[in-house]
Amino acid sequence: MSDYLFMLESHLNPDQNRVVEQIEEAARTAGVNLFLTGGAVRDMLGGFQVRDLDFVVEGNALAVAKRVAESSGAELASTDEHRRSAELIFPRGITAQIAMARSERYPRKPGGRSQVSPATIHEDLLGRDFSVNAIAISLTRASRGLLLDPGNGQADLAAKQLRTLNSSSFFDDPSRLLRMVRYRVRLDFGIDERTRQQYKLAREERLEKHIPPRVLNRELEAIASEAGFAAVVRALVEENLLSLFCPALAGSKVNLPGLTKLERLARLLPSTQLPPGSGFAPFLHVLAERLSPAEKTSLARTVEMNRADAQRWQKLPVRIKKLESELKSARLRKPSQIYEVASRMAEADLLFLLYRSPEKVVQQRIRNYLGRYLPLAQSVTVEEIRKAGIEPGTRKFEQARRELVNARLDGRVRKPAPPPVVPEPPRNHRFQRAPRGGA
C-alpha cells in the first residue's frame, strides 16, 4: 500500500472507506480509470477533516454512478448532464460526486455556459479553480496510490495559500470569487499575490454580477453547509458580496448575532455537519430573520430557489411549533420517553428548536438527549444482544435492542464496565534510561 493510500484510509471514517471501496468496484467493473480528487485530497494532505468525496473517471461517469446506486443502495440525488456528473447520498449521510474527466472552453463573455468535452485527468485538474483543489490520487488498479499534482498544489498547501491556475479564472467562472472567500475562511489560508490582483481586477469589472441565479443558489447552500457559516457570512459582508443574494442583505439587516448563536448551538450536535441540504432551512431562516416578507421573496427569486427548499424555509416555524409541543409534554417522565420522541426528529429541527424555543424544559430535554441519552443509547452493542441468542437483521433483534436501550437510559441496566487494566511489572532500574536533559 502506498503512503498516500494509507494516509487516505487513516483520514476517512469506516463509512467513507466503505464508499470508496464500492465506487472502486463499480469503476473496475466498468473498465474506467478512477481518481479521488478535489476537496477530499486537499483536506487529507492539509490535515483537515474530509467532508465530501469527489471522484473523477476517464469515461462515462453517469453510468458508473448508476451502477454504484444499484449495487450499494445509495440515492442518486442529482445529475448534471452538461458536465456529466452525479451526486450520490449513501446510508449514514455520506455524500459523493462522480464526474467525467473534462476540459471546458468558456465563451468571451464572463460567466457564460462552457463547452464541455471528455479529457484526461491531467487536463481536468489543470482546468480547476485553485491549485489546492487540483490534486488527485489514482484508484485505478495499475497505478493505485499514485499522487497527481500538475498544478503544484502541495506547495500551496504547505504555504497555506490559495492560488488560481490561470489568469482568466475569475472571468471564466465568477462564482469563484465567492468560493475563494469561503475557502479562505474555512481553511484559514492567505491569498497568493497574483491571485489577489486577479481578484481585485475582477471586482473592479464587477464580474460578480454575471454569476447565474442557479449558481448563486448552489453557493448559498455551500455556505449553509460550512461548519463556520457565520464567519463566512461576515467575510462576504466585508467584501460587499452578500448583497448578491439579496440587495437587502447589508448593514443591520444581516443577522450576524443570530448566525453566530446558531453556529455555536450546531456544535452540540453529534454530527460534525448536518446531512446534505437539511441545514439549509434553519440557516436561511436566521440569515433572513430581519428581512421583510417582500425582501425574503426577493431573496428566493434572486437565487431561483426551488419550491421544495422555499417551502421548508417558510414552513419551518410552524413545523417547529408542533415538535416543541411534543417535547414539552408532561407525559414524558422518563429518559427513555424523551429519547423516543427526540430520536424521531431531524438534527436540523433539534438545532432550530435550541435556537428558537423559549421553553426551558424543551431546551433542557434536547441538551440531555444530545449530551447524555444519545451517547448512552449508542453504547449498546450488537454483541450484547447476540449474547442472548438473537441475531441482527430480525424484528426480534430490533425489539431486544430497543428494550436494552430503554433499560439503560432509565438506569435499570448499567453500561458494562471496561476490563481491568493490569499494571506492567516494574522494570529493572539498571536498564532504565535517564530522561533526556537530566532528572
Side-chain angles (χ1 to χ4, degrees):
M1 180 185 294
S2 77
D3 291 343
Y4 292 117
L5 285 178
F6 178 78
M7 187 186 300
L8 176 64
E9 291 184 7
S10 302
H11 275 75
L12 301 182
N13 62 42
D15 294 315
Q16 289 174 319
N17 273 309
R18 194 174 302 112
V19 168
V20 172
E21 291 172 3
Q22 291 169 339
I23 295 178
E24 277 190 86
E25 179 59 31
R28 191 178 301 119
T29 303
V32 295
N33 294 330
L34 176 70
F35 306 88
L36 184 69
T37 62
V41 181
R42 176 200 67 217
D43 293 342
M44 179 200 78
L45 294 173
F48 304 105
Q49 178 194 0
V50 177
R51 293 155 39 108
D52 300 317
L53 298 171
D54 298 317
F55 299 89
V56 167
V57 299
E58 291 179 329
N60 191 336
L62 296 181
V64 174
K66 290 175 183 176
R67 187 186 297 270
V68 171
E70 291 168 359
S71 62
S72 68
E75 175 192 350
L76 195 60
S78 64
T79 58
D80 184 341
E81 293 289 342
H82 178 58
R83 289 185 168 85
R84 309 296 291 173
S85 66
E87 294 280 351
L88 293 159
I89 301 178
F90 291 79
R92 303 177 69 88
I94 304 300
T95 61
Q97 181 191 76
I98 304 177
M100 175 186 73
R102 64 182 186 265
S103 64
E104 298 189 57
R105 294 182 61 187
Y106 292 90
R108 292 185 177 181
K109 63 177 183 178
R113 186 179 176 88
S114 61
Q115 292 182 353
V116 175
S117 57
T120 65
I121 183 63
H122 282 83
E123 291 170 319
D124 181 286
L125 294 175
L126 289 172
R128 297 192 168 219
D129 50 8
F130 303 103
S131 62
V132 295
N133 292 334
I135 313 173
I137 293 177
S138 173
L139 297 178
T140 304
R141 180 175 292 174
S143 58
R144 195 169 185 270
L146 178 67
L147 189 79
L148 306 172
D149 184 15
N152 200 19
Q154 289 185 93
D156 290 316
L157 278 172
K160 295 189 175 183
Q161 68 176 7
L162 294 172
R163 175 175 60 85
T164 55
L165 288 168
N166 63 77
S167 59
S168 63
S169 185
F170 295 125
F171 185 92
D172 293 339
D173 184 357
S175 69
R176 290 169 176 170
L177 297 167
L178 295 172
R179 217 171 307 153
M180 190 183 78
V181 174
R182 182 158 54 85
Y183 287 150
R184 173 172 62 80
V185 174
R186 186 209 298 178
L187 303 173
D188 193 23
F189 276 16
I191 308 297
D192 164 72
E193 183 57 35
R194 183 173 63 87
T195 302
R196 191 187 302 277
Q197 292 302 318
Q198 292 171 5
Y199 176 84
K200 181 181 178 181
L201 181 60
R203 294 302 308 278
E204 288 175 354
E205 296 183 8
R206 300 173 65 83
L207 294 184
E208 67 273 13
K209 297 294 184 181
H210 296 277
I211 303 175
R214 57 180 173 76
V215 179
L216 282 175
N217 187 76
R218 189 178 67 212
E219 285 299 318
L220 195 58
E221 289 179 342
I223 295 166
S225 70
E226 292 286 343
F229 51 76
V232 174
V233 170
R234 185 179 294 107
L236 290 171
V237 170
E238 292 170 355
E239 295 290 333
N240 294 317
L241 286 170
L242 191 67
S243 57
L244 289 173
F245 303 101
C246 176
L249 282 174
S252 60
K253 287 275 191 174
V254 183
N255 188 11
L256 282 172
L259 289 169
T260 302
K261 177 184 176 182
L262 188 71
E263 182 184 301
R264 185 179 69 250
L265 292 171
R267 299 192 188 108
L268 298 176
L269 300 178
S271 304
T272 52
Q273 64 180 119
L274 293 171
S278 64
F280 196 32
F283 170 82
L284 279 175
H285 179 90
V286 179
L287 176 69
E289 202 165 14
R290 296 177 179 176
L291 302 185
S292 68
E295 289 167 340
K296 292 177 182 178
T297 301
S298 171
L299 169 59
R301 189 185 301 117
T302 298
V303 300
E304 293 183 358
M305 191 177 300
N306 64 55
R307 187 174 181 180
D309 283 342
Q311 287 185 341
R312 276 193 290 268
W313 168 27
Q314 293 161 2
K315 294 181 179 180
L316 182 61
V318 176
R319 188 174 76 254
I320 288 301
K321 207 69 179 173
K322 295 178 181 178
L323 299 179
E324 184 181 57
S325 298
E326 289 184 57
L327 269 174
K328 72 177 182 181
S329 171
R331 291 178 296 177
L332 303 181
R333 301 178 183 275
K334 300 178 180 180
S336 60
Q337 294 171 326
I338 297 170
Y339 172 82
E340 179 66 25
V341 172
S343 62
R344 294 197 304 264
M345 299 180 182
E347 285 190 4
D349 291 340
L350 292 173
L351 172 61
F352 194 64
L353 273 170
L354 284 172
Y355 176 82
R356 182 75 177 262
S357 177
E359 301 285 346
K360 288 184 179 180
V361 66
V362 172
Q363 293 277 338
Q364 191 58 50
R365 284 175 172 175
I366 294 175
R367 290 173 184 270
N368 283 341
Y369 166 73
L370 294 173
R372 295 168 53 195
Y373 306 155
L374 185 58
L376 200 57
Q378 291 172 339
S379 72
V380 174
T381 64
V382 172
E383 291 304 317
E384 288 181 71
I385 305 171
R386 269 184 170 155
K387 287 178 181 178
I390 306 172
E391 289 299 317
T394 63
R395 185 178 298 178
K396 191 175 181 181
F397 178 88
E398 291 304 320
Q399 182 180 350
R401 185 184 183 282
R402 186 163 55 249
E403 290 174 356
L404 185 55
V405 166
N406 290 345
R408 186 163 292 171
L409 287 169
D410 295 336
R412 299 196 301 273
V413 178
R414 292 189 177 183
K415 183 177 178 181
V421 178
V422 180
E424 293 183 7
R427 294 183 294 176
N428 191 320
H429 71 277
R430 288 178 301 171
F431 298 101
Q432 292 182 357
R433 183 174 296 175
R436 182 174 295 177

